[in-house]
Amino acid sequence: MTGTVADLAIRSLSGLADLDVERTQYRGHARDLAAAADADLIIVHGGDGSINEAVNGVMSRDGAGESGPGESGAGDSGTGGPGAGPQGRPLIAIIPGGGANVLARGLGLPVDAAAAIRRLRESLAAGRYRTIGLGLAGDRYFTFSAGLGWDAEVVGEVDRLRAEGHRESATLFLRTMVRSYYRSTDRRRPALTLERDGEPPVSDLFMTIITNRSPWTYLHSRAVLPVPNPDFSSGLDLLAMRRLRLVRIVSAVGQMLYIRGRAPRGRDLMSVLGSESLAVRSSRPIALQVDGEYLGETEAVKFQFVPHALRIVT
């Protein structure tokens, strides 16, 4: 954690948790720390990438999974406190410190660090937590979303811009989406095929978004919901596009922003709700992202829903 946040957390949680503070040094370090920590509680101060790393570290502790084809961005973690989670895994707590903070917002947590620490103290004192399911993309767990195609290409470009010193923001994502749409993504040759047990394959898809019943992302404070009623326990949901036409994209995003009672509809959209497993194959290498972290290119991913996987302080 940063010095200010760490000091505030130590003072606030005094009497509830004895904290050992570690600052991450490289991509994947949060995963290593979480996997090795001898603790009942892991507190992550960072963005969605750091949280994803820590979750994958926790899930690897009992052999439940290993990190997948890429690593995510750096953050900070602290360990200590009460009660172990499912199958002996420690509890996870979040002090938001990223740009989007999608998981924290989806859980109803304040994005201000000081407010989040106050909420964390109250929750620990009251023993409040919830058990959530996770998505699994190949062998990489995700908490709220994964994607193949255009959205993953945008995530990859934003990662590159962040490495050059640009600050992550909704404006940066929007600019990158527009630039990618006009300059780089292939809008002529659909590459993806969706496969599900007992169902015929669906081919000629340009992009797929798979969500763990949480917002796909946020536009400022407004949740972008590919499906209604996010609850982290009802399986994986998929939204796919058969065409990348600007008017269709604007319509779909508008529905995700302002229509809460149903999934987006349209001639070039398809959705699948509450799936336990599905696979997406590509006719060429295509971009993959999980929880807003770019994992490179792939040609096939099996997605699975893992119920009751993780206890998280709320």
Side-chain angles (χ1 to χ4, degrees):
M1 299 182 186
T2 62
T4 302
V5 173
D7 291 343
L8 182 59
I10 291 170
R11 290 197 304 269
S12 180
L13 301 181
S14 175
L16 291 175
D18 294 324
L19 296 184
D20 295 323
V21 178
E22 298 277 359
R23 172 171 287 195
T24 56
Q25 303 296 326
Y26 52 84
R27 293 171 69 92
H29 196 189
R31 183 195 186 282
D32 296 340
L33 291 172
D38 181 16
D40 300 322
L41 170 68
I42 294 176
I43 304 171
V44 185
H45 171 53
D48 292 307
S50 300
I51 296 167
N52 180 274
E53 285 189 7
V55 166
N56 275 271
V58 166
M59 293 299 291
S60 74
R61 290 165 68 102
D62 60 355
E66 301 294 333
S67 74
E71 299 293 352
S72 55
D76 307 285
S77 63
T79 61
Q87 303 175 20
R89 302 185 192 115
L91 285 161
I92 290 278
I94 299 170
I95 302 174
N101 299 307
V102 176
L103 179 62
R105 292 172 187 263
L107 292 167
L109 301 176
V111 296
D112 174 73
I117 291 170
R118 290 194 295 271
R119 177 77 64 83
L120 175 57
R121 178 176 177 82
E122 295 169 0
S123 297
L124 289 176
R128 288 197 301 264
Y129 65 89
R130 65 184 293 186
T131 302
I132 66 171
L134 297 173
L136 184 61
D139 52 10
R140 180 70 172 255
Y141 290 92
F142 60 94
T143 61
F144 60 90
S145 77
L148 286 158
W150 181 46
D151 81 310
E153 293 171 8
V154 171
V155 167
E157 179 63 11
V158 168
D159 273 1
R160 187 186 67 80
L161 293 172
R162 287 170 55 196
E164 293 179 353
H166 293 262
R167 183 177 178 273
E168 182 179 337
S169 66
T171 301
L172 178 63
F173 270 95
L174 289 172
R175 288 203 310 264
T176 306
M177 288 174 68
V178 172
R179 187 165 55 246
S180 173
Y181 177 83
Y182 283 109
R183 295 183 181 178
S184 59
T185 195
D186 189 335
R187 293 181 281 130
R188 296 184 178 182
R189 299 178 300 151
L192 300 177
T193 298
L194 170 65
E195 298 176 351
R196 294 175 288 158
D197 290 342
E199 299 287 342
V202 180
S203 302
D204 297 334
L205 303 175
F206 276 95
M207 63 175 286
T208 60
I209 301 167
I210 298 93
T211 58
N212 184 33
R213 300 292 282 198
S214 172
W216 172 34
T217 187
Y218 279 81
L219 185 58
H220 300 294
S221 61
R222 185 76 176 176
V224 182
L225 294 179
V227 295
N229 306 317
D231 64 7
F232 294 100
S233 63
S234 299
L236 301 180
D237 305 307
L238 174 139
L239 181 69
M241 298 197 72
R242 294 187 174 92
R243 291 186 182 181
L244 281 184
R245 299 283 179 86
L246 190 58
V247 65
R248 307 296 187 195
I249 294 169
V250 171
S251 172
V253 171
Q255 292 181 69
M256 286 189 274
L257 282 169
Y258 297 108
I259 298 178
R260 297 318 205 199
R262 60 167 174 80
R265 297 174 182 171
R267 184 173 59 188
D268 298 323
L269 297 175
M270 72 162 293
S271 59
V272 175
L273 304 182
S275 178
E276 292 188 3
S277 67
L278 53 89
V280 180
R281 301 189 181 278
S282 177
S283 61
R284 62 178 183 271
I286 200 163
L288 168 68
Q289 65 87 13
V290 299
D291 283 352
E293 293 296 304
Y294 181 64
L295 299 187
E297 294 186 334
T298 186
E299 294 184 7
V301 184
K302 181 177 182 180
F303 295 94
Q304 300 176 75
F305 177 65
V306 184
H308 314 299
L310 192 73
R311 290 200 307 178
I312 191 161
V313 180
T314 60

